[in-house]
Amino acid sequence: MNRLKNPLVCSLVFVVILLAVFRFESAVLDRLVPLDQSVKVNWIYSHAGTFDYAFVGSSAAYAGIDGKALSDTLGGSVINLGLDGTAHPEQYMVLAAFLESNDVGTIILQVDAWGLDENAYGYPFHEYLHLPYLDKPVVAEVVAERRGGRLAAWKYVPFLKYAEFNTQIGVPNIVHVIGGRQPEFDVYGSSLRNQAFNQAGFEALAAADDHHSYAWSTMRAEYFERMLELARNRGIPVIVYLTPEYHGVLQYSPWRHQVVSYYRETVTAAGQTFLSYDNDPLCRDRLNFYNTSHLNRDGAGRFAPLLAHDVLAAVRRD
Amino acid sequence: MLFNSLHFAVFLPCVVVIYFATPGRWRWMWLLAASYYFYACWKVEYLALIVVSTLVDYVVARCMARAVAGRRTFLLCLSLAVNLGLLFAFKYFNFVNASVRAAFGHFDLTYSVPALDVLLPVGISFYTFQKLSYTIDVYRGKREPEMHLGIFALYVAYFPQLIAGPIERSTSLLPQLRVVQNFDFDRLKTGLVLVLWGFFQKLVIADRMAMVVDHVYTDPQQTGGAVLLIGTYAFAFQIYCDFAGYSNIAIGTAKIMGIDLMQNFRQPYYARSIPEFWRRWHISLSTWFRDYVYIPLGGSRVRKLRLHINLLLVFAVSAIWHGAHWKFLVWGLLHGLYMVFGGLTAGWRHRCAAAVGLDRLPRLQRVLGVVITFNLVCLAWIFFRANSISDAASIVCNIFQMEGLGTVAECLTRPGRLNEVFGLSRTHLVAIAAGLAILELGHLLQMCDRLQLRALAAPTCLRWLAYIILILVIANFGIFQNPRQFIYFQF
């Protein structure tokens, strides 16, 4: 104990003990956080199996894919990897990590006309949800691409990642596990909503002054193309569908045609199938939507046979 | 540069290491450069303001020492005019201008003085008062003027307490800045523990309470009384932990460099009366007003009516010091009225206590005093926090109607409701409960000398365990994303 009277030794010993404690807690949380299956990302990463169809996309896929109806109609196993509030970088990361431990027959990518717009749709990169999975090479790669040098800090400074995002991951997950929080999504990974059309939101959108500015994100487009490349490298066919939107809103998206053209041309050039439902009666009835760009439960139920029909046709053609 | 930022986490160790590595006679230069850099991080232009006003006070004080009586008064007035003039221009001009415009508008008169497009220089109220205390002390002959311009500039701009105090007296801080401090490991430990405690108060309690307060106070007209009452209690802890947290970080930081700053808080919510509350809350400002406003007005050695007027005046000035808004004035006057009313009813209250036998139960009397004082302070906090006086009035009305008890009960059973009503998740609730328990444990330790001695004499492993637990609590429950500014930075 006498050596502890030396300030330098004393400080060093304290720091070493502190780092060890942080390292231990970090290791414990690395094991505990994935147990919180109410978090969609944890649920996705926990899978290791075979799926005939994997749906990938943003909230429009998360809330608009009726897994049961599609599974019945397609006659195969379905998983919905759609994540709320995400853009292509995060979708690419999740898909690539998922494919590391799962076999997928067909990938069905959901895209939308606003997904490449950095102006109106910030789509923050939810790095904190993926930090417990930094040992997966693709997760580390994409996090490094999006967050640069901070990856090293999160990876090598014990507990830093859990401290920085402690309101989102770490203790909250443990509370969820202990409290037995149920996920908001079903066994297919979908979260169908029983909501009526948000008329006020539609009117606000219609009344907005600026419908023209669209900040094209080259970075997001690159990640979309990487998803196509990933599937091609693994020999998995890809079907890309443009999410159904309430037709009344299309007039306020003057840039839409250009964005859809980009998706159509990129997908076709990659030798894959592109589907659009813009002219389908489904999009003319606001009762199918809970807002202008998201199907509700009824809409998802009506959309499922349409999509299944086209998917089956594309699969047979291939 | 916020104390709760990565920038400060790098800045402080650099400053401390270079400070002790620099030869004693040059240290003031390094500290002054660091302090000016710290200030310039907010807005580099306002550095000129602090430099110019420092020069004015330095010259004025030196001239004062050589001047005869009449000229000394002139020089004091000059210093007051420059300091208070700058404060007025940056902090109060727009408020006064808007009020005059509103008054003119009321009588359909034209008023064309435009508003000033300036940002309030951070910490201006604090360093202005610190400089004023110096000039007044020199004027009163309580101290000699500081001859070393660099040391004086450091006294004004010393970074730990520059932005939000404690407002130091020249008699205490200036001599310490002259002494060459050797590195002391025990002082480093004490300082770091204070810094840690400050971060705990700010990051774990204040910033989490802020989530409740912001949520509840957003739309007070539509919020039930019970919810508003909880929101107000939350604000009481938010503002206390925010400001006391800042003060502890400032005191701890200064202590590491061998400088003792004055204590700014002494468990204020344990006060048994409003006068006692003010002896425990923002002590450096309360004593400033006592020494430079209240006592010159006659202190307590005047007739009762004059005393009451003086009290109201001091609290009104103190309120306006906080912010250029009528709601602060109401807050201050409420405290002034508490003091006056407390003084007027003291005898009657003692007789009542004796009549019901409360004087035979001193502990119960103490607890009652604490509860009543805390609630009176909270009532005044409503005006401090609300967005306007009308909002504050409707909050008070809603609270006294006490509606929404059912909503609060629902929150305990349904986590979703907790989030809707208070903007909190269950994790936040757990963190708040744990945080408040640790805070009270800390208070107990601070209040009880015997416990403090036992804690200090505890084996190293036990003390380390306590420090590690505190660090773990901060790391797990502190809010690090989008760091919030300290409330008192706005003053």
PDB file of all heavy atoms in Angstrom, chain B residues 427-449:
ATOM      1  N   THR B 427     -36.266   4.158 -18.171  1.00  0.00           N
ATOM      2  CA  THR B 427     -34.840   4.229 -17.837  1.00  0.00           C
ATOM      3  C   THR B 427     -34.525   5.588 -17.220  1.00  0.00           C
ATOM      4  O   THR B 427     -33.775   5.692 -16.245  1.00  0.00           O
ATOM      5  CB  THR B 427     -33.983   4.068 -19.109  1.00  0.00           C
ATOM      6  OG1 THR B 427     -34.603   3.134 -19.962  1.00  0.00           O
ATOM      7  CG2 THR B 427     -32.581   3.659 -18.787  1.00  0.00           C
ATOM      8  N   HIS B 428     -35.100   6.644 -17.818  1.00  0.00           N
ATOM      9  CA  HIS B 428     -34.855   7.984 -17.281  1.00  0.00           C
ATOM     10  C   HIS B 428     -35.374   8.096 -15.851  1.00  0.00           C
ATOM     11  O   HIS B 428     -34.748   8.717 -15.004  1.00  0.00           O
ATOM     12  CB  HIS B 428     -35.555   9.032 -18.153  1.00  0.00           C
ATOM     13  CG  HIS B 428     -34.902   9.223 -19.486  1.00  0.00           C
ATOM     14  ND1 HIS B 428     -33.572   9.451 -19.623  1.00  0.00           N
ATOM     15  CD2 HIS B 428     -35.413   9.219 -20.748  1.00  0.00           C
ATOM     16  CE1 HIS B 428     -33.267   9.586 -20.902  1.00  0.00           C
ATOM     17  NE2 HIS B 428     -34.368   9.438 -21.605  1.00  0.00           N
ATOM     18  N   LEU B 429     -36.537   7.480 -15.632  1.00  0.00           N
ATOM     19  CA  LEU B 429     -37.137   7.549 -14.298  1.00  0.00           C
ATOM     20  C   LEU B 429     -36.232   6.859 -13.275  1.00  0.00           C
ATOM     21  O   LEU B 429     -36.007   7.379 -12.171  1.00  0.00           O
ATOM     22  CB  LEU B 429     -38.524   6.880 -14.331  1.00  0.00           C
ATOM     23  CG  LEU B 429     -39.462   7.245 -13.193  1.00  0.00           C
ATOM     24  CD1 LEU B 429     -39.812   8.715 -13.227  1.00  0.00           C
ATOM     25  CD2 LEU B 429     -40.732   6.412 -13.264  1.00  0.00           C
ATOM     26  N   VAL B 430     -35.711   5.695 -13.674  1.00  0.00           N
ATOM     27  CA  VAL B 430     -34.794   4.962 -12.798  1.00  0.00           C
ATOM     28  C   VAL B 430     -33.556   5.824 -12.534  1.00  0.00           C
ATOM     29  O   VAL B 430     -33.099   5.951 -11.391  1.00  0.00           O
ATOM     30  CB  VAL B 430     -34.379   3.612 -13.457  1.00  0.00           C
ATOM     31  CG1 VAL B 430     -33.254   2.946 -12.667  1.00  0.00           C
ATOM     32  CG2 VAL B 430     -35.584   2.686 -13.563  1.00  0.00           C
ATOM     33  N   ALA B 431     -33.040   6.449 -13.598  1.00  0.00           N
ATOM     34  CA  ALA B 431     -31.836   7.275 -13.458  1.00  0.00           C
ATOM     35  C   ALA B 431     -32.098   8.458 -12.536  1.00  0.00           C
ATOM     36  O   ALA B 431     -31.242   8.807 -11.705  1.00  0.00           O
ATOM     37  CB  ALA B 431     -31.388   7.768 -14.827  1.00  0.00           C
ATOM     38  N   ILE B 432     -33.263   9.076 -12.665  1.00  0.00           N
ATOM     39  CA  ILE B 432     -33.588  10.229 -11.806  1.00  0.00           C
ATOM     40  C   ILE B 432     -33.663   9.789 -10.350  1.00  0.00           C
ATOM     41  O   ILE B 432     -33.097  10.436  -9.453  1.00  0.00           O
ATOM     42  CB  ILE B 432     -34.914  10.885 -12.264  1.00  0.00           C
ATOM     43  CG1 ILE B 432     -34.679  11.673 -13.557  1.00  0.00           C
ATOM     44  CG2 ILE B 432     -35.473  11.795 -11.179  1.00  0.00           C
ATOM     45  CD1 ILE B 432     -35.928  12.296 -14.138  1.00  0.00           C
ATOM     46  N   ALA B 433     -34.344   8.665 -10.111  1.00  0.00           N
ATOM     47  CA  ALA B 433     -34.492   8.187  -8.730  1.00  0.00           C
ATOM     48  C   ALA B 433     -33.119   7.873  -8.139  1.00  0.00           C
ATOM     49  O   ALA B 433     -32.805   8.299  -7.017  1.00  0.00           O
ATOM     50  CB  ALA B 433     -35.391   6.955  -8.705  1.00  0.00           C
ATOM     51  N   ALA B 434     -32.285   7.158  -8.908  1.00  0.00           N
ATOM     52  CA  ALA B 434     -30.955   6.794  -8.411  1.00  0.00           C
ATOM     53  C   ALA B 434     -30.114   8.058  -8.209  1.00  0.00           C
ATOM     54  O   ALA B 434     -29.400   8.199  -7.208  1.00  0.00           O
ATOM     55  CB  ALA B 434     -30.269   5.855  -9.394  1.00  0.00           C
ATOM     56  N   GLY B 435     -30.217   8.988  -9.159  1.00  0.00           N
ATOM     57  CA  GLY B 435     -29.453  10.232  -9.091  1.00  0.00           C
ATOM     58  C   GLY B 435     -29.813  11.042  -7.861  1.00  0.00           C
ATOM     59  O   GLY B 435     -28.930  11.537  -7.149  1.00  0.00           O
ATOM     60  N   LEU B 436     -31.111  11.161  -7.587  1.00  0.00           N
ATOM     61  CA  LEU B 436     -31.537  11.949  -6.422  1.00  0.00           C
ATOM     62  C   LEU B 436     -31.086  11.284  -5.130  1.00  0.00           C
ATOM     63  O   LEU B 436     -30.703  11.968  -4.172  1.00  0.00           O
ATOM     64  CB  LEU B 436     -33.057  12.137  -6.434  1.00  0.00           C
ATOM     65  CG  LEU B 436     -33.584  13.116  -7.493  1.00  0.00           C
ATOM     66  CD1 LEU B 436     -35.105  13.190  -7.455  1.00  0.00           C
ATOM     67  CD2 LEU B 436     -32.995  14.520  -7.307  1.00  0.00           C
ATOM     68  N   ALA B 437     -31.102   9.949  -5.106  1.00  0.00           N
ATOM     69  CA  ALA B 437     -30.654   9.236  -3.899  1.00  0.00           C
ATOM     70  C   ALA B 437     -29.170   9.530  -3.655  1.00  0.00           C
ATOM     71  O   ALA B 437     -28.762   9.816  -2.521  1.00  0.00           O
ATOM     72  CB  ALA B 437     -30.889   7.738  -4.069  1.00  0.00           C
ATOM     73  N   ILE B 438     -28.367   9.496  -4.726  1.00  0.00           N
ATOM     74  CA  ILE B 438     -26.931   9.770  -4.569  1.00  0.00           C
ATOM     75  C   ILE B 438     -26.709  11.225  -4.179  1.00  0.00           C
ATOM     76  O   ILE B 438     -25.862  11.546  -3.348  1.00  0.00           O
ATOM     77  CB  ILE B 438     -26.173   9.414  -5.869  1.00  0.00           C
ATOM     78  CG1 ILE B 438     -26.274   7.910  -6.120  1.00  0.00           C
ATOM     79  CG2 ILE B 438     -24.718   9.848  -5.801  1.00  0.00           C
ATOM     80  CD1 ILE B 438     -25.713   7.462  -7.455  1.00  0.00           C
ATOM     81  N   LEU B 439     -27.507  12.117  -4.772  1.00  0.00           N
ATOM     82  CA  LEU B 439     -27.387  13.549  -4.446  1.00  0.00           C
ATOM     83  C   LEU B 439     -27.629  13.772  -2.954  1.00  0.00           C
ATOM     84  O   LEU B 439     -26.874  14.495  -2.288  1.00  0.00           O
ATOM     85  CB  LEU B 439     -28.398  14.355  -5.276  1.00  0.00           C
ATOM     86  CG  LEU B 439     -28.370  15.857  -5.068  1.00  0.00           C
ATOM     87  CD1 LEU B 439     -27.188  16.477  -5.802  1.00  0.00           C
ATOM     88  CD2 LEU B 439     -29.659  16.511  -5.581  1.00  0.00           C
ATOM     89  N   GLU B 440     -28.671  13.140  -2.430  1.00  0.00           N
ATOM     90  CA  GLU B 440     -28.986  13.318  -1.011  1.00  0.00           C
ATOM     91  C   GLU B 440     -27.909  12.706  -0.120  1.00  0.00           C
ATOM     92  O   GLU B 440     -27.601  13.227   0.941  1.00  0.00           O
ATOM     93  CB  GLU B 440     -30.373  12.741  -0.690  1.00  0.00           C
ATOM     94  CG  GLU B 440     -31.514  13.563  -1.265  1.00  0.00           C
ATOM     95  CD  GLU B 440     -31.322  15.067  -1.090  1.00  0.00           C
ATOM     96  OE1 GLU B 440     -31.043  15.531   0.025  1.00  0.00           O
ATOM     97  OE2 GLU B 440     -31.421  15.793  -2.112  1.00  0.00           O
ATOM     98  N   LEU B 441     -27.331  11.594  -0.591  1.00  0.00           N
ATOM     99  CA  LEU B 441     -26.233  10.975   0.142  1.00  0.00           C
ATOM    100  C   LEU B 441     -25.063  11.964   0.215  1.00  0.00           C
ATOM    101  O   LEU B 441     -24.429  12.133   1.266  1.00  0.00           O
ATOM    102  CB  LEU B 441     -25.809   9.699  -0.584  1.00  0.00           C
ATOM    103  CG  LEU B 441     -25.036   8.675   0.222  1.00  0.00           C
ATOM    104  CD1 LEU B 441     -25.928   8.049   1.275  1.00  0.00           C
ATOM    105  CD2 LEU B 441     -24.481   7.587  -0.702  1.00  0.00           C
ATOM    106  N   GLY B 442     -24.804  12.609  -0.908  1.00  0.00           N
ATOM    107  CA  GLY B 442     -23.742  13.620  -0.960  1.00  0.00           C
ATOM    108  C   GLY B 442     -24.033  14.770  -0.016  1.00  0.00           C
ATOM    109  O   GLY B 442     -23.151  15.251   0.698  1.00  0.00           O
ATOM    110  N   HIS B 443     -25.297  15.205   0.006  1.00  0.00           N
ATOM    111  CA  HIS B 443     -25.687  16.303   0.900  1.00  0.00           C
ATOM    112  C   HIS B 443     -25.473  15.920   2.361  1.00  0.00           C
ATOM    113  O   HIS B 443     -24.987  16.707   3.161  1.00  0.00           O
ATOM    114  CB  HIS B 443     -27.154  16.663   0.681  1.00  0.00           C
ATOM    115  CG  HIS B 443     -27.368  17.473  -0.559  1.00  0.00           C
ATOM    116  ND1 HIS B 443     -28.585  17.600  -1.164  1.00  0.00           N
ATOM    117  CD2 HIS B 443     -26.513  18.190  -1.315  1.00  0.00           C
ATOM    118  CE1 HIS B 443     -28.464  18.373  -2.230  1.00  0.00           C
ATOM    119  NE2 HIS B 443     -27.217  18.735  -2.341  1.00  0.00           N
ATOM    120  N   LEU B 444     -25.853  14.678   2.665  1.00  0.00           N
ATOM    121  CA  LEU B 444     -25.707  14.178   4.029  1.00  0.00           C
ATOM    122  C   LEU B 444     -24.238  14.228   4.450  1.00  0.00           C
ATOM    123  O   LEU B 444     -23.900  14.657   5.551  1.00  0.00           O
ATOM    124  CB  LEU B 444     -26.227  12.736   4.067  1.00  0.00           C
ATOM    125  CG  LEU B 444     -26.614  12.188   5.429  1.00  0.00           C
ATOM    126  CD1 LEU B 444     -27.843  12.911   5.957  1.00  0.00           C
ATOM    127  CD2 LEU B 444     -26.897  10.699   5.336  1.00  0.00           C
ATOM    128  N   LEU B 445     -23.391  13.823   3.520  1.00  0.00           N
ATOM    129  CA  LEU B 445     -21.958  13.802   3.768  1.00  0.00           C
ATOM    130  C   LEU B 445     -21.428  15.225   3.973  1.00  0.00           C
ATOM    131  O   LEU B 445     -20.589  15.482   4.833  1.00  0.00           O
ATOM    132  CB  LEU B 445     -21.271  13.155   2.566  1.00  0.00           C
ATOM    133  CG  LEU B 445     -19.977  12.418   2.815  1.00  0.00           C
ATOM    134  CD1 LEU B 445     -20.210  11.250   3.763  1.00  0.00           C
ATOM    135  CD2 LEU B 445     -19.406  11.900   1.499  1.00  0.00           C
ATOM    136  N   GLN B 446     -21.959  16.156   3.167  1.00  0.00           N
ATOM    137  CA  GLN B 446     -21.500  17.545   3.273  1.00  0.00           C
ATOM    138  C   GLN B 446     -21.974  18.195   4.572  1.00  0.00           C
ATOM    139  O   GLN B 446     -21.298  19.035   5.143  1.00  0.00           O
ATOM    140  CB  GLN B 446     -22.016  18.365   2.088  1.00  0.00           C
ATOM    141  CG  GLN B 446     -21.275  18.052   0.792  1.00  0.00           C
ATOM    142  CD  GLN B 446     -22.034  18.541  -0.438  1.00  0.00           C
ATOM    143  OE1 GLN B 446     -23.167  18.996  -0.350  1.00  0.00           O
ATOM    144  NE2 GLN B 446     -21.411  18.430  -1.594  1.00  0.00           N
ATOM    145  N   MET B 447     -23.172  17.786   5.034  1.00  0.00           N
ATOM    146  CA  MET B 447     -23.756  18.452   6.206  1.00  0.00           C
ATOM    147  C   MET B 447     -23.203  17.900   7.512  1.00  0.00           C
ATOM    148  O   MET B 447     -23.205  18.581   8.522  1.00  0.00           O
ATOM    149  CB  MET B 447     -25.277  18.300   6.180  1.00  0.00           C
ATOM    150  CG  MET B 447     -25.936  19.179   5.135  1.00  0.00           C
ATOM    151  SD  MET B 447     -27.714  19.259   5.317  1.00  0.00           S
ATOM    152  CE  MET B 447     -28.221  17.607   4.996  1.00  0.00           C
ATOM    153  N   CYS B 448     -22.797  16.646   7.478  1.00  0.00           N
ATOM    154  CA  CYS B 448     -22.379  16.007   8.734  1.00  0.00           C
ATOM    155  C   CYS B 448     -20.857  15.896   8.790  1.00  0.00           C
ATOM    156  O   CYS B 448     -20.254  15.093   8.076  1.00  0.00           O
ATOM    157  CB  CYS B 448     -23.037  14.638   8.836  1.00  0.00           C
ATOM    158  SG  CYS B 448     -22.644  13.813  10.361  1.00  0.00           S
ATOM    159  N   ASP B 449     -20.243  16.698   9.657  1.00  0.00           N
ATOM    160  CA  ASP B 449     -18.785  16.721   9.750  1.00  0.00           C
ATOM    161  C   ASP B 449     -18.226  15.363  10.164  1.00  0.00           C
ATOM    162  O   ASP B 449     -17.184  14.933   9.684  1.00  0.00           O
ATOM    163  CB  ASP B 449     -18.340  17.782  10.762  1.00  0.00           C
ATOM    164  CG  ASP B 449     -18.632  19.183  10.240  1.00  0.00           C
ATOM    165  OD1 ASP B 449     -18.805  19.306   9.003  1.00  0.00           O
ATOM    166  OD2 ASP B 449     -18.708  20.124  11.037  1.00  0.00           O
TER     167      ASP B 449
END
